[in-house]
Amino acid sequence: MNGIKKVIDDIFWIGGSDRRLARFENIFPIPEGVSYNSYFIDDEKTAVFDTADITISDQYLENLKTVISGKKLDYLVVLHMEPDHCSLINTVVTMFPEVTVVSSSKSFEFMKQFFPESENYKKLEVKEGDELSTGKHTFKFVAAPMVHWPEVLMAYDVTSKALFAADAFGTFGALDGGLFADEYDYEKDFLDSARRYYANIVGKYGMPVQTVLKKAAGLDIKLILSLHGPVWRENIGWLLDKYQKWSTYTAETDDIAVVYGSLYGHTASAAEAVAASIREKTGKNVKVYDVSGTDVSYLIGEVWRCSKIVLICPTYNGGIYPPMEAFINDMIALGVQNRIFALGQNGTWAPVTVKLMTDKLATLKNVKILEQNLTIKSALSAGDMDAVQAFADAVANSRF
């Protein structure tokens, strides 16, 4: 029973947390761990909403066996076919061969690709607007394509007013004993992880998220049950506001991020001088990052948080310093919008980075690239300080 938590009287969390996985999707560092959430409905007919990742299979199956307590499993509802949630589908169906698997047509297509044996499952295909009754509970399905896979469904329980939200509203971070967001200091414990999760995984799909948020606005939501992170039962409007900002590429704060690349420390010194001057002129929070020493997923999270992004790096082999170029390419891939960029460069004999970065960033929608830039030749000197001040002034005074 240690792995089972009650959401409400007859809805139970039966997931688990993984603190050993180094990288989510083998890309994003997760020193904070991650939870995989699955939910059991103990009604006239029983139901499980999604399974879990193979890495927590022992805990998950123990939870399921305990909570079902010898009963029949009537429905396995699959909202999302990504392997971190669907890996145990075949295991569950093998344990309960009479179960009916409920999902979308696109999910069943994907399911057959992952599990060829699923062709023989008992299936119930559902789409937006369809309902599934388990007795006391009636679940209405809501299509959420490209949040963040094309097959995604959500399910709204008319009885409890709970939204089973698939990957939406999720976050990196293992659960430390508590199930509910209000059991934590969420802003301290989870907000950065939630933003990083959204920006890197869902960030490209702002318009589909907006579509889902409009659908959610028409529902009386009392609980949000995501597939990662804690369950929301209080202050849901605060969370929806975050998603409103993130999905419209609206900066969450007026803070400024200074991201630099530096071979030997000279460009780093220039970036620190710029950051100090900007802070002095604006009184706003300024965060400084070494692009070589910071995983790009954290930098992307900061792009979603901050209104202004300062990029300073040396020219390298006649091009952009490679880690900075990778960061810019990631911003382009994720469709960053509505940001102000200020650019600086260092070069001992032929600095061209500002132009090259400008050309790349200009492909983004609705961004402002400041005309005032900064050029350092080799190392920051006393003679450069007027230029540093002018650059910082331009950042401080910039507006859309």
Side-chain angles (χ1 to χ4, degrees), residues 3-40:
I4 299 167
K5 297 183 186 301
K6 183 185 290 187
V7 180
I8 57 173
D9 287 344
D10 53 3
I11 299 179
F12 298 87
W13 178 90
I14 57 170
S17 287
D18 188 346
R19 292 177 174 81
R20 300 175 67 182
L21 186 67
R23 289 181 178 269
F24 189 79
E25 296 183 350
N26 209 23
I27 301 174
F28 311 111
I30 49 169
E32 65 270 56
V34 66
S35 73
Y36 302 107
N37 301 339
S38 174
Y39 304 95
F40 175 73

mmCIF file of all heavy atoms in Angstrom, residues 3-40:
data_model
loop_
_atom_site.group_PDB
_atom_site.id
_atom_site.type_symbol
_atom_site.label_atom_id
_atom_site.label_comp_id
_atom_site.label_asym_id
_atom_site.label_seq_id
_atom_site.Cartn_x
_atom_site.Cartn_y
_atom_site.Cartn_z
ATOM 1 N N GLY A 3 2.832 2.364 -2.078
ATOM 2 C CA GLY A 3 2.913 3.005 -3.375
ATOM 3 C C GLY A 3 1.581 3.483 -3.907
ATOM 4 O O GLY A 3 1.496 3.856 -5.075
ATOM 5 N N ILE A 4 0.543 3.485 -3.087
ATOM 6 C CA ILE A 4 -0.794 3.877 -3.527
ATOM 7 C C ILE A 4 -1.220 5.117 -2.741
ATOM 8 O O ILE A 4 -1.058 5.167 -1.522
ATOM 9 C CB ILE A 4 -1.806 2.739 -3.276
ATOM 10 C CG1 ILE A 4 -1.398 1.494 -4.071
ATOM 11 C CG2 ILE A 4 -3.221 3.164 -3.655
ATOM 12 C CD1 ILE A 4 -2.140 0.249 -3.656
ATOM 13 N N LYS A 5 -1.780 6.099 -3.459
ATOM 14 C CA LYS A 5 -2.244 7.313 -2.782
ATOM 15 C C LYS A 5 -3.654 7.646 -3.256
ATOM 16 O O LYS A 5 -3.965 7.549 -4.444
ATOM 17 C CB LYS A 5 -1.301 8.482 -3.073
ATOM 18 C CG LYS A 5 0.111 8.259 -2.545
ATOM 19 C CD LYS A 5 0.996 9.463 -2.780
ATOM 20 C CE LYS A 5 2.437 9.162 -2.377
ATOM 21 N NZ LYS A 5 2.543 8.785 -0.953
ATOM 22 N N LYS A 6 -4.495 8.032 -2.310
ATOM 23 C CA LYS A 6 -5.879 8.361 -2.629
ATOM 24 C C LYS A 6 -5.961 9.782 -3.172
ATOM 25 O O LYS A 6 -5.486 10.735 -2.554
ATOM 26 C CB LYS A 6 -6.758 8.225 -1.388
ATOM 27 C CG LYS A 6 -8.239 8.488 -1.655
ATOM 28 C CD LYS A 6 -9.064 8.468 -0.385
ATOM 29 C CE LYS A 6 -9.164 7.057 0.171
ATOM 30 N NZ LYS A 6 -10.107 7.010 1.315
ATOM 31 N N VAL A 7 -6.572 9.927 -4.352
ATOM 32 C CA VAL A 7 -6.852 11.251 -4.906
ATOM 33 C C VAL A 7 -8.159 11.762 -4.315
ATOM 34 O O VAL A 7 -8.223 12.847 -3.736
ATOM 35 C CB VAL A 7 -6.923 11.198 -6.447
ATOM 36 C CG1 VAL A 7 -7.228 12.589 -7.011
ATOM 37 C CG2 VAL A 7 -5.615 10.659 -7.035
ATOM 38 N N ILE A 8 -9.217 10.995 -4.519
ATOM 39 C CA ILE A 8 -10.488 11.176 -3.807
ATOM 40 C C ILE A 8 -10.958 9.769 -3.427
ATOM 41 O O ILE A 8 -10.235 8.805 -3.634
ATOM 42 C CB ILE A 8 -11.544 11.932 -4.644
ATOM 43 C CG1 ILE A 8 -11.800 11.198 -5.965
ATOM 44 C CG2 ILE A 8 -11.108 13.367 -4.892
ATOM 45 C CD1 ILE A 8 -12.945 11.780 -6.779
ATOM 46 N N ASP A 9 -12.162 9.642 -2.910
ATOM 47 C CA ASP A 9 -12.602 8.383 -2.312
ATOM 48 C C ASP A 9 -12.359 7.160 -3.187
ATOM 49 O O ASP A 9 -11.937 6.112 -2.698
ATOM 50 C CB ASP A 9 -14.094 8.464 -1.959
ATOM 51 C CG ASP A 9 -14.327 9.353 -0.742
ATOM 52 O OD1 ASP A 9 -13.342 9.640 -0.031
ATOM 53 O OD2 ASP A 9 -15.476 9.769 -0.528
ATOM 54 N N ASP A 10 -12.649 7.250 -4.482
ATOM 55 C CA ASP A 10 -12.564 6.058 -5.323
ATOM 56 C C ASP A 10 -11.638 6.246 -6.526
ATOM 57 O O ASP A 10 -11.730 5.508 -7.500
ATOM 58 C CB ASP A 10 -13.959 5.626 -5.787
ATOM 59 C CG ASP A 10 -14.740 6.755 -6.451
ATOM 60 O OD1 ASP A 10 -14.175 7.859 -6.596
ATOM 61 O OD2 ASP A 10 -15.913 6.536 -6.822
ATOM 62 N N ILE A 11 -10.768 7.245 -6.463
ATOM 63 C CA ILE A 11 -9.730 7.432 -7.483
ATOM 64 C C ILE A 11 -8.378 7.378 -6.780
ATOM 65 O O ILE A 11 -8.150 8.106 -5.807
ATOM 66 C CB ILE A 11 -9.890 8.769 -8.239
ATOM 67 C CG1 ILE A 11 -11.241 8.806 -8.974
ATOM 68 C CG2 ILE A 11 -8.749 8.962 -9.233
ATOM 69 C CD1 ILE A 11 -11.496 10.102 -9.724
ATOM 70 N N PHE A 12 -7.503 6.524 -7.265
ATOM 71 C CA PHE A 12 -6.212 6.304 -6.608
ATOM 72 C C PHE A 12 -5.056 6.502 -7.591
ATOM 73 O O PHE A 12 -5.145 6.100 -8.757
ATOM 74 C CB PHE A 12 -6.141 4.878 -6.038
ATOM 75 C CG PHE A 12 -7.168 4.589 -4.993
ATOM 76 C CD1 PHE A 12 -8.437 4.140 -5.353
ATOM 77 C CD2 PHE A 12 -6.884 4.784 -3.650
ATOM 78 C CE1 PHE A 12 -9.401 3.878 -4.391
ATOM 79 C CE2 PHE A 12 -7.840 4.522 -2.675
ATOM 80 C CZ PHE A 12 -9.102 4.072 -3.043
ATOM 81 N N TRP A 13 -3.995 7.095 -7.094
ATOM 82 C CA TRP A 13 -2.726 7.186 -7.832
ATOM 83 C C TRP A 13 -1.960 5.897 -7.585
ATOM 84 O O TRP A 13 -1.768 5.481 -6.444
ATOM 85 C CB TRP A 13 -1.938 8.386 -7.326
ATOM 86 C CG TRP A 13 -0.578 8.594 -7.943
ATOM 87 C CD1 TRP A 13 -0.287 9.316 -9.054
ATOM 88 C CD2 TRP A 13 0.685 8.126 -7.437
ATOM 89 N NE1 TRP A 13 1.077 9.315 -9.292
ATOM 90 C CE2 TRP A 13 1.691 8.588 -8.313
ATOM 91 C CE3 TRP A 13 1.052 7.338 -6.344
ATOM 92 C CZ2 TRP A 13 3.045 8.301 -8.116
ATOM 93 C CZ3 TRP A 13 2.399 7.044 -6.157
ATOM 94 C CH2 TRP A 13 3.373 7.534 -7.035
ATOM 95 N N ILE A 14 -1.517 5.255 -8.676
ATOM 96 C CA ILE A 14 -0.787 3.989 -8.534
ATOM 97 C C ILE A 14 0.540 4.050 -9.304
ATOM 98 O O ILE A 14 1.064 3.019 -9.737
ATOM 99 C CB ILE A 14 -1.630 2.789 -9.009
ATOM 100 C CG1 ILE A 14 -2.094 2.951 -10.457
ATOM 101 C CG2 ILE A 14 -2.821 2.590 -8.082
ATOM 102 C CD1 ILE A 14 -2.730 1.693 -11.040
ATOM 103 N N GLY A 15 1.075 5.246 -9.469
ATOM 104 C CA GLY A 15 2.307 5.416 -10.226
ATOM 105 C C GLY A 15 3.557 5.188 -9.399
ATOM 106 O O GLY A 15 3.554 4.455 -8.411
ATOM 107 N N GLY A 16 4.620 5.845 -9.796
ATOM 108 C CA GLY A 16 5.886 5.704 -9.090
ATOM 109 C C GLY A 16 6.858 6.781 -9.535
ATOM 110 O O GLY A 16 6.627 7.457 -10.548
ATOM 111 N N SER A 17 7.938 6.936 -8.788
ATOM 112 C CA SER A 17 8.965 7.921 -9.103
ATOM 113 C C SER A 17 10.281 7.231 -9.424
ATOM 114 O O SER A 17 10.621 6.205 -8.828
ATOM 115 C CB SER A 17 9.169 8.896 -7.927
ATOM 116 O OG SER A 17 8.085 9.790 -7.810
ATOM 117 N N ASP A 18 11.001 7.801 -10.364
ATOM 118 C CA ASP A 18 12.309 7.286 -10.767
ATOM 119 C C ASP A 18 13.354 8.345 -10.428
ATOM 120 O O ASP A 18 13.343 9.434 -10.989
ATOM 121 C CB ASP A 18 12.316 6.988 -12.265
ATOM 122 C CG ASP A 18 13.585 6.275 -12.723
ATOM 123 O OD1 ASP A 18 14.559 6.246 -11.948
ATOM 124 O OD2 ASP A 18 13.603 5.770 -13.857
ATOM 125 N N ARG A 19 14.228 8.025 -9.490
ATOM 126 C CA ARG A 19 15.309 8.933 -9.105
ATOM 127 C C ARG A 19 16.663 8.497 -9.675
ATOM 128 O O ARG A 19 17.673 9.108 -9.377
ATOM 129 C CB ARG A 19 15.396 9.031 -7.578
ATOM 130 C CG ARG A 19 14.193 9.735 -6.958
ATOM 131 C CD ARG A 19 14.265 9.766 -5.441
ATOM 132 N NE ARG A 19 13.193 10.561 -4.886
ATOM 133 C CZ ARG A 19 11.948 10.124 -4.710
ATOM 134 N NH1 ARG A 19 11.640 8.873 -5.052
ATOM 135 N NH2 ARG A 19 11.022 10.921 -4.212
ATOM 136 N N ARG A 20 16.644 7.430 -10.476
ATOM 137 C CA ARG A 20 17.900 6.896 -11.008
ATOM 138 C C ARG A 20 18.137 7.285 -12.463
ATOM 139 O O ARG A 20 19.266 7.253 -12.935
ATOM 140 C CB ARG A 20 17.909 5.366 -10.875
ATOM 141 C CG ARG A 20 17.776 4.877 -9.440
ATOM 142 C CD ARG A 20 17.674 3.370 -9.348
ATOM 143 N NE ARG A 20 18.914 2.723 -9.758
ATOM 144 C CZ ARG A 20 19.077 1.405 -9.802
ATOM 145 N NH1 ARG A 20 18.072 0.595 -9.495
ATOM 146 N NH2 ARG A 20 20.224 0.892 -10.175
ATOM 147 N N LEU A 21 17.078 7.644 -13.172
ATOM 148 C CA LEU A 21 17.203 7.993 -14.575
ATOM 149 C C LEU A 21 17.986 9.292 -14.724
ATOM 150 O O LEU A 21 17.654 10.307 -14.104
ATOM 151 C CB LEU A 21 15.814 8.153 -15.200
ATOM 152 C CG LEU A 21 15.752 8.384 -16.712
ATOM 153 C CD1 LEU A 21 16.237 7.147 -17.460
ATOM 154 C CD2 LEU A 21 14.335 8.756 -17.127
ATOM 155 N N ALA A 22 19.030 9.276 -15.550
ATOM 156 C CA ALA A 22 19.886 10.457 -15.704
ATOM 157 C C ALA A 22 19.280 11.479 -16.652
ATOM 158 O O ALA A 22 19.378 12.694 -16.411
ATOM 159 C CB ALA A 22 21.273 10.046 -16.195
ATOM 160 N N ARG A 23 18.666 11.015 -17.739
ATOM 161 C CA ARG A 23 18.150 11.926 -18.763
ATOM 162 C C ARG A 23 16.769 11.472 -19.223
ATOM 163 O O ARG A 23 16.598 10.328 -19.640
ATOM 164 C CB ARG A 23 19.099 12.004 -19.967
ATOM 165 C CG ARG A 23 20.391 12.745 -19.673
ATOM 166 C CD ARG A 23 21.292 12.822 -20.899
ATOM 167 N NE ARG A 23 22.499 13.566 -20.598
ATOM 168 C CZ ARG A 23 22.646 14.876 -20.766
ATOM 169 N NH1 ARG A 23 21.632 15.583 -21.252
ATOM 170 N NH2 ARG A 23 23.769 15.486 -20.460
ATOM 171 N N PHE A 24 15.829 12.366 -19.191
ATOM 172 C CA PHE A 24 14.487 12.116 -19.694
ATOM 173 C C PHE A 24 14.541 12.136 -21.219
ATOM 174 O O PHE A 24 15.127 13.040 -21.824
ATOM 175 C CB PHE A 24 13.538 13.205 -19.179
ATOM 176 C CG PHE A 24 12.091 12.950 -19.461
ATOM 177 C CD1 PHE A 24 11.366 12.072 -18.680
ATOM 178 C CD2 PHE A 24 11.453 13.601 -20.498
ATOM 179 C CE1 PHE A 24 10.025 11.844 -18.923
ATOM 180 C CE2 PHE A 24 10.116 13.384 -20.755
ATOM 181 C CZ PHE A 24 9.399 12.499 -19.963
ATOM 182 N N GLU A 25 13.915 11.134 -21.847
ATOM 183 C CA GLU A 25 13.995 10.948 -23.298
ATOM 184 C C GLU A 25 15.449 10.828 -23.772
ATOM 185 O O GLU A 25 15.749 11.059 -24.936
ATOM 186 C CB GLU A 25 13.267 12.061 -24.058
ATOM 187 C CG GLU A 25 11.772 12.077 -23.795
ATOM 188 C CD GLU A 25 11.003 13.110 -24.584
ATOM 189 O OE1 GLU A 25 11.643 13.976 -25.218
ATOM 190 O OE2 GLU A 25 9.769 13.061 -24.571
ATOM 191 N N ASN A 26 16.326 10.489 -22.848
ATOM 192 C CA ASN A 26 17.758 10.381 -23.117
ATOM 193 C C ASN A 26 18.343 11.688 -23.648
ATOM 194 O O ASN A 26 19.367 11.688 -24.336
ATOM 195 C CB ASN A 26 18.054 9.229 -24.083
ATOM 196 C CG ASN A 26 19.427 8.627 -23.859
ATOM 197 O OD1 ASN A 26 20.002 8.744 -22.780
ATOM 198 N ND2 ASN A 26 19.979 7.994 -24.878
ATOM 199 N N ILE A 27 17.693 12.809 -23.302
ATOM 200 C CA ILE A 27 18.135 14.137 -23.735
ATOM 201 C C ILE A 27 18.284 15.080 -22.551
ATOM 202 O O ILE A 27 19.333 15.696 -22.356
ATOM 203 C CB ILE A 27 17.140 14.768 -24.735
ATOM 204 C CG1 ILE A 27 16.966 13.900 -25.980
ATOM 205 C CG2 ILE A 27 17.607 16.170 -25.144
ATOM 206 C CD1 ILE A 27 15.891 14.402 -26.925
ATOM 207 N N PHE A 28 17.230 15.200 -21.748
ATOM 208 C CA PHE A 28 17.139 16.261 -20.751
ATOM 209 C C PHE A 28 17.591 15.769 -19.381
ATOM 210 O O PHE A 28 16.997 14.831 -18.840
ATOM 211 C CB PHE A 28 15.700 16.788 -20.660
ATOM 212 C CG PHE A 28 15.104 17.110 -21.998
ATOM 213 C CD1 PHE A 28 14.072 16.344 -22.527
ATOM 214 C CD2 PHE A 28 15.596 18.158 -22.757
ATOM 215 C CE1 PHE A 28 13.526 16.615 -23.766
ATOM 216 C CE2 PHE A 28 15.062 18.451 -24.001
ATOM 217 C CZ PHE A 28 14.027 17.682 -24.511
ATOM 218 N N PRO A 29 18.619 16.389 -18.789
ATOM 219 C CA PRO A 29 19.052 15.967 -17.453
ATOM 220 C C PRO A 29 17.927 16.136 -16.441
ATOM 221 O O PRO A 29 17.225 17.157 -16.436
ATOM 222 C CB PRO A 29 20.214 16.920 -17.134
ATOM 223 C CG PRO A 29 20.641 17.492 -18.437
ATOM 224 C CD PRO A 29 19.421 17.534 -19.291
ATOM 225 N N ILE A 30 17.751 15.147 -15.589
ATOM 226 C CA ILE A 30 16.716 15.243 -14.551
ATOM 227 C C ILE A 30 17.301 14.842 -13.196
ATOM 228 O O ILE A 30 16.927 13.810 -12.628
ATOM 229 C CB ILE A 30 15.463 14.411 -14.888
ATOM 230 C CG1 ILE A 30 15.831 12.983 -15.316
ATOM 231 C CG2 ILE A 30 14.621 15.097 -15.938
ATOM 232 C CD1 ILE A 30 14.625 12.061 -15.393
ATOM 233 N N PRO A 31 18.193 15.670 -12.654
ATOM 234 C CA PRO A 31 18.710 15.363 -11.315
ATOM 235 C C PRO A 31 17.615 15.342 -10.266
ATOM 236 O O PRO A 31 17.780 14.740 -9.203
ATOM 237 C CB PRO A 31 19.710 16.499 -11.070
ATOM 238 C CG PRO A 31 19.287 17.606 -11.980
ATOM 239 C CD PRO A 31 18.751 16.922 -13.201
ATOM 240 N N GLU A 32 16.483 15.998 -10.572
ATOM 241 C CA GLU A 32 15.354 16.010 -9.645
ATOM 242 C C GLU A 32 14.469 14.780 -9.783
ATOM 243 O O GLU A 32 13.472 14.645 -9.065
ATOM 244 C CB GLU A 32 14.512 17.285 -9.834
ATOM 245 C CG GLU A 32 13.819 17.416 -11.178
ATOM 246 C CD GLU A 32 14.617 18.119 -12.254
ATOM 247 O OE1 GLU A 32 15.755 17.685 -12.549
ATOM 248 O OE2 GLU A 32 14.100 19.105 -12.817
ATOM 249 N N GLY A 33 14.796 13.873 -10.720
ATOM 250 C CA GLY A 33 13.988 12.684 -10.936
ATOM 251 C C GLY A 33 12.722 12.998 -11.720
ATOM 252 O O GLY A 33 12.532 14.096 -12.248
ATOM 253 N N VAL A 34 11.830 12.008 -11.789
ATOM 254 C CA VAL A 34 10.573 12.191 -12.504
ATOM 255 C C VAL A 34 9.563 11.194 -11.955
ATOM 256 O O VAL A 34 9.929 10.102 -11.503
ATOM 257 C CB VAL A 34 10.764 11.990 -14.027
ATOM 258 C CG1 VAL A 34 11.130 10.545 -14.363
ATOM 259 C CG2 VAL A 34 9.544 12.439 -14.814
ATOM 260 N N SER A 35 8.300 11.564 -11.969
ATOM 261 C CA SER A 35 7.244 10.622 -11.592
ATOM 262 C C SER A 35 6.495 10.180 -12.833
ATOM 263 O O SER A 35 6.375 10.928 -13.814
ATOM 264 C CB SER A 35 6.261 11.246 -10.591
ATOM 265 O OG SER A 35 5.421 12.199 -11.218
ATOM 266 N N TYR A 36 6.016 8.951 -12.802
ATOM 267 C CA TYR A 36 5.141 8.412 -13.844
ATOM 268 C C TYR A 36 3.804 8.120 -13.174
ATOM 269 O O TYR A 36 3.720 7.279 -12.278
ATOM 270 C CB TYR A 36 5.733 7.140 -14.445
ATOM 271 C CG TYR A 36 7.101 7.341 -15.043
ATOM 272 C CD1 TYR A 36 8.237 6.846 -14.404
ATOM 273 C CD2 TYR A 36 7.269 8.030 -16.237
ATOM 274 C CE1 TYR A 36 9.503 7.023 -14.939
ATOM 275 C CE2 TYR A 36 8.529 8.217 -16.786
ATOM 276 C CZ TYR A 36 9.642 7.706 -16.132
ATOM 277 O OH TYR A 36 10.888 7.890 -16.671
ATOM 278 N N ASN A 37 2.769 8.808 -13.614
ATOM 279 C CA ASN A 37 1.485 8.736 -12.930
ATOM 280 C C ASN A 37 0.501 7.847 -13.681
ATOM 281 O O ASN A 37 0.376 7.930 -14.904
ATOM 282 C CB ASN A 37 0.884 10.134 -12.785
ATOM 283 C CG ASN A 37 1.788 11.068 -12.010
ATOM 284 O OD1 ASN A 37 2.653 10.625 -11.258
ATOM 285 N ND2 ASN A 37 1.607 12.367 -12.180
ATOM 286 N N SER A 38 -0.175 7.023 -12.928
ATOM 287 C CA SER A 38 -1.259 6.187 -13.431
ATOM 288 C C SER A 38 -2.360 6.231 -12.379
ATOM 289 O O SER A 38 -2.078 6.387 -11.184
ATOM 290 C CB SER A 38 -0.761 4.757 -13.651
ATOM 291 O OG SER A 38 -1.818 3.885 -14.000
ATOM 292 N N TYR A 39 -3.606 6.099 -12.827
ATOM 293 C CA TYR A 39 -4.722 6.295 -11.907
ATOM 294 C C TYR A 39 -5.717 5.132 -12.026
ATOM 295 O O TYR A 39 -6.025 4.669 -13.132
ATOM 296 C CB TYR A 39 -5.430 7.622 -12.203
ATOM 297 C CG TYR A 39 -4.492 8.802 -12.146
ATOM 298 C CD1 TYR A 39 -3.889 9.296 -13.302
ATOM 299 C CD2 TYR A 39 -4.164 9.409 -10.932
ATOM 300 C CE1 TYR A 39 -3.018 10.373 -13.256
ATOM 301 C CE2 TYR A 39 -3.289 10.492 -10.877
ATOM 302 C CZ TYR A 39 -2.715 10.961 -12.046
ATOM 303 O OH TYR A 39 -1.837 12.028 -11.998
ATOM 304 N N PHE A 40 -6.210 4.695 -10.868
ATOM 305 C CA PHE A 40 -7.156 3.572 -10.799
ATOM 306 C C PHE A 40 -8.506 4.093 -10.328
ATOM 307 O O PHE A 40 -8.591 4.835 -9.336
ATOM 308 C CB PHE A 40 -6.641 2.510 -9.834
ATOM 309 C CG PHE A 40 -7.606 1.374 -9.618
ATOM 310 C CD1 PHE A 40 -7.810 0.433 -10.614
ATOM 311 C CD2 PHE A 40 -8.298 1.246 -8.418
ATOM 312 C CE1 PHE A 40 -8.699 -0.626 -10.418
ATOM 313 C CE2 PHE A 40 -9.182 0.199 -8.212
ATOM 314 C CZ PHE A 40 -9.383 -0.741 -9.221
#
